[in-house]
Amino acid sequence: MGKNRGEWSEMYVVLSLLENPNLNIVDSKLEEICNDLFIVEKLSIKEKQKLIDFILTSKKEVEIYFQNELKNMISIEEIENSIEMVKNSIKNVSSGKGAFEIKELNPILKKMTDQDFLKSDSQTKSDLIATVLDTKISDRVVLKYSIKSSLGSPATLLNASHVTDFLYEIEGLKREHIALINQITTSKSKTKLRDGLKKIYEFGGKIKFVDVPNESFKYNLEMVDSNMPLYLGKALLNFYNDVSGNLKELFLSTNEFKDEEFAIKKLSDFFKGISFGFFPNKKWDKRS
């Protein structure tokens, strides 16, 4: 039952909400606003296209359904005994380690999952679906959540891969310069890209953004804004040029916008898209 940090984090969130169903509402700095607005009554996860529901029937037990069929029950006491174990294991595992096992959790995992592996569907943005009682309106609502954890390493919204490549054109270099730069950029150095860019500029080369090669990723970026590939392409280049600043600062400083408010709106639309809508390798309809 090996899982990576992200998968164990999903497990930790499920256990924590079952143990304490009052869903805390926090601000952008994770400062608590309130903890009595939403009360969790049911949690749902899709595992290999099979629906698993965890229903809080009382303060002492949780019912577990596989495809709407009652399969197991676990006590809140079992859950409480597992929470800190998961948290400490995630925090203490060595950096760079992939999947790892927490043997003490195998008994409760077998009760909670149909295939010995609690993991959400990789083709949905929501890791967890919660049916909650909204105490403000005295009605039940369904909320979808994407779980992002910083217990191991900083959380990401968009993971880099060959699908998310950006294409640039380099001009003004001699053949011998190209050979030297290729030698740098194919080395095992952690700073090879930055080192290669420095050499390009030292030799008088110029770099300009050309395109996003992957059709689906480009399509999704252009669904946000027709110029989004260019905006991000320039910001990415300047990040590797050692231009200081976070993504917001790079986005603003390396592109020409009507005003800052316009730029922030474009960047926030991009964040909303990758948070709730599109996958780089799948065309996005802007509805899901």
Side-chain angles (χ1 to χ4, degrees), residues 51-218:
L51 186 66
I52 301 177
D53 294 316
F54 304 93
I55 300 179
L56 290 89
T57 56
S58 69
K59 293 184 178 180
K60 293 185 178 181
E61 288 184 315
V62 174
E63 293 181 347
I64 303 172
Y65 290 77
F66 300 155
Q67 294 294 91
N68 299 315
E69 182 180 353
L70 178 61
K71 288 290 186 180
N72 290 308
M73 298 186 72
I74 51 175
S75 68
I76 298 299
E77 184 179 359
E78 285 181 86
I79 293 170
E80 290 173 344
N81 293 336
S82 303
I83 290 173
E84 282 302 309
M85 196 181 302
V86 177
K87 181 179 178 181
N88 292 332
S89 296
I90 296 171
K91 292 175 67 176
N92 296 332
V93 69
S94 59
S95 178
K97 187 176 179 65
F100 60 96
E101 187 178 2
I102 308 175
K103 292 182 179 179
E104 296 82 355
L105 289 180
N106 283 348
I108 194 171
L109 275 176
K110 286 180 179 177
K111 291 182 180 180
M112 294 178 69
T113 176
D114 190 28
Q115 299 182 24
D116 294 342
F117 201 82
L118 190 65
K119 182 179 180 181
S120 61
D121 187 343
S122 62
Q123 290 303 304
T124 61
K125 285 289 180 180
S126 56
D127 298 316
L128 183 67
I129 302 170
T131 302
V132 303
L133 174 64
D134 186 333
T135 58
K136 191 172 183 179
I137 61 174
S138 298
D139 198 4
R140 287 165 181 80
V141 294
V142 177
L143 304 175
K144 295 183 179 181
Y145 294 94
S146 176
I147 298 170
K148 299 296 178 185
S149 170
S150 295
L151 285 175
S153 55
T156 60
L157 290 177
L158 181 67
N159 295 325
S161 70
H162 69 281
V163 177
T164 60
D165 283 348
F166 286 75
L167 181 65
Y168 300 86
E169 183 178 8
I170 302 171
E171 299 175 337
L173 293 180
K174 295 179 180 179
R175 189 175 296 276
E176 59 267 27
H177 293 158
I178 295 173
L180 177 59
I181 292 165
N182 284 342
Q183 189 176 355
I184 294 171
T185 57
T186 55
S187 70
K188 294 182 179 180
S189 170
K190 292 182 179 180
T191 60
K192 60 186 179 182
L193 291 179
R194 285 191 166 96
D195 294 341
L197 285 174
K198 286 178 181 178
K199 280 296 178 186
I200 290 172
Y201 295 124
E202 282 179 21
F203 293 142
K206 296 180 180 179
I207 306 173
K208 66 176 183 179
F209 170 76
V210 175
D211 202 359
V212 172
N214 184 273
E215 290 186 10
S216 295
F217 185 43
K218 180 180 179 181

